[in-house]
Amino acid sequence: MNHRFTRLASQSALALGAAVLALAASGAQAEEKFTYMTNWYAQAEHGGFYQAVATGIYKKYGLDVTIKMGGPQVNILQIMGAGQADCVMGSSDLQMMRARDNGLPVVTVAALFQKDPQVLIAHEDVKSMEEMKTKTVLIAASAQQGYWAWVKSKYGLTDAQTKPYTFNIQPFLADKNMVQQGYLTSEPYAIQKAGAKANTFLLADHGYPSYATTISCMEKTVNDRAKAVADFVKASAEGWKSYLADPAPGNALIKKDNPNMTDDQLAYSVAKMKEMGIVGSGDAVKNGIGTMTEARIKANYDFLVGQKFIDPAKVDLAKAYKLDLARNAKVLP
């Protein structure tokens, strides 16, 4: 009997050991590493992602997320293509479709911004977009294959009236005949701080259909790591909801990554995103943060095809997007 008891005890110990090892393995698997690369230096416009790190939301979904900062000289698509990031932040879904047209099999799985924060800023005498026809417009080269083409077609503005935008507000401040591009949460703040009075026109509120701040990943990642990508989308949506409610945890991490970021700028940006419904308006109200619709992606696709920015033979719309992840997450704002 003693031998039998010893054997049973030994088997129990082995079983317990195996269970502990299995638990450890599942624990290790639960902390799956995932890298997301932003498109600029850390700022409030990235707040929901930082918030999900700071408050443990990603860990709740079993992800060990690293947020890598982009910047003006950083090609995030190249970095993702080289396997150094799992997903990237597209400035817009239009940008991601153009990348696909260029041969990179990228899929957009969520768009955290229902409204693209792209704006045109004019001096206070300009009350409408139509009144910009007589002005000089400062536009960056990157805008030529995006919103500027849309503005031209809708409002009759021309390339002849443009000059290059160098991401410096001084030319605008010095010349009352200038209009310049900007980002809702950035340049208007700088212009206001400089003491100038200006009118800001959010293109999304004038019909520009682009989504912004996307989660875009390689096709292989979406297929091979389906659960991790789905969990990242859901956790990021929760992070954005949390950030807009109380941005302090996310802001602390933003300032750690980008020490030049000020509390004033962060507060202004968060207030503007909330005021203008950048994250929680439109289809997000019913379908959840990050959601995209067939109608809007078709409008964006048709715009790019119509402008000859993409070749429809190269971009299969059904493969360029995956709409079910944000819908299934259904994190209502």
Side-chain angles (χ1 to χ4, degrees):
M1 281 295 284
N2 284 347
H3 287 300
R4 183 168 175 269
F5 177 78
T6 304
R7 191 167 68 251
L8 284 170
S10 176
Q11 287 171 346
S12 297
L14 284 170
L16 183 63
V20 169
L21 285 172
L23 197 62
S26 70
Q29 197 177 14
E31 289 294 309
E32 185 172 352
K33 291 191 178 297
F34 199 95
T35 301
Y36 181 66
M37 187 152 200
T38 67
N39 57 4
W40 200 253
Y41 303 128
Q43 53 190 303
E45 294 88 332
H46 309 161
F49 302 103
Y50 280 96
Q51 185 86 352
V53 172
T55 60
I57 294 172
Y58 288 130
K59 285 195 181 296
K60 181 180 80 172
Y61 285 95
L63 296 174
D64 177 10
V65 171
T66 299
I67 297 176
K68 280 186 180 179
M69 277 200 308
Q73 306 303 322
V74 180
N75 187 327
I76 61 172
L77 289 167
Q78 202 171 55
I79 287 168
M80 179 173 68
Q84 293 168 28
D86 296 303
C87 299
V88 296
M89 177 188 292
S91 297
S92 71
D93 62 318
L94 277 68
Q95 176 198 21
M96 295 298 106
M97 273 197 279
R98 290 199 307 272
R100 197 168 180 103
D101 180 73
N102 288 330
L104 191 72
V106 61
V107 183
T108 296
V109 296
L112 281 306
F113 287 5
Q114 288 295 306
K115 295 181 180 182
D116 189 322
Q118 198 65 57
V119 298
L120 287 177
I121 307 162
H123 290 276
E124 59 182 337
D125 60 306
V126 177
K127 308 296 185 189
S128 71
M129 299 275 288
E130 287 83 358
E131 291 175 34
M132 295 179 188
K133 286 182 181 177
T134 60
K135 307 295 181 184
T136 299
V137 186
L138 302 178
I139 294 293
S142 58
Q144 296 292 343
Q145 289 201 346
Y147 71 85
W148 178 241
W150 178 86
V151 169
K152 285 190 297 181
S153 64
K154 181 161 184 178
Y155 293 101
L157 277 64
T158 67
D159 288 333
Q161 67 186 104
T162 66
K163 286 186 176 178
Y165 177 55
T166 59
F167 297 89
N168 176 359
I169 63 169
Q170 292 309 315
F172 174 83
L173 296 175
D175 187 345
K176 295 282 187 186
N177 199 50
M178 289 278 189
V179 171
Q180 73 155 65
Q181 72 170 59
Y183 215 60
L184 175 70
T185 46
S186 181
E187 282 88 348
Y189 171 77
I191 288 167
Q192 181 181 300
K193 289 281 280 184
K197 291 184 177 178
N199 289 327
T200 298
F201 300 85
L202 181 64
L203 300 186
D205 284 350
H206 289 76
Y208 184 50
S210 168
Y211 289 110
T213 306
T214 70
I215 298 172
S216 300
C217 323
M218 299 295 283
E219 221 169 65
K220 188 177 189 314
T221 304
V222 174
N223 293 333
D224 294 354
R225 302 183 65 193
K227 185 178 186 307
V229 173
D231 287 340
F232 182 76
V233 167
K234 185 170 175 68
S236 298
E238 289 186 13
W240 272 102
K241 181 171 184 171
S242 170
Y243 182 71
L244 293 174
D246 173 19
N251 284 348
L253 284 190
I254 287 170
K255 288 195 292 182
K256 188 177 176 184
D257 266 8
N258 181 10
N260 293 324
M261 183 52 63
T262 66
D263 289 331
D264 278 358
Q265 172 73 75
L266 287 165
Y268 178 92
S269 298
V270 171
K272 276 293 172 189
M273 285 192 286
K274 289 167 77 169
E275 176 195 342
M276 303 306 289
I278 298 298
V279 174
S281 64
D283 297 306
V285 174
K286 286 185 178 178
N287 298 329
I289 293 170
T291 199
M292 301 176 289
T293 67
E294 287 89 347
R296 266 183 75 176
I297 65 171
K298 182 68 165 60
N300 291 336
Y301 176 81
D302 288 346
F303 164 67
L304 291 175
V305 170
Q307 292 288 333
K308 295 184 169 52
F309 292 152
I310 62 171
D311 179 351
K314 290 183 181 177
V315 182
D316 182 342
L317 194 56
K319 291 182 177 177
Y321 295 83
K322 187 168 172 54
L323 304 182
D324 60 324
L325 300 187
R327 280 184 190 163
N328 291 346
K330 203 160 188 180
V331 179
L332 298 179

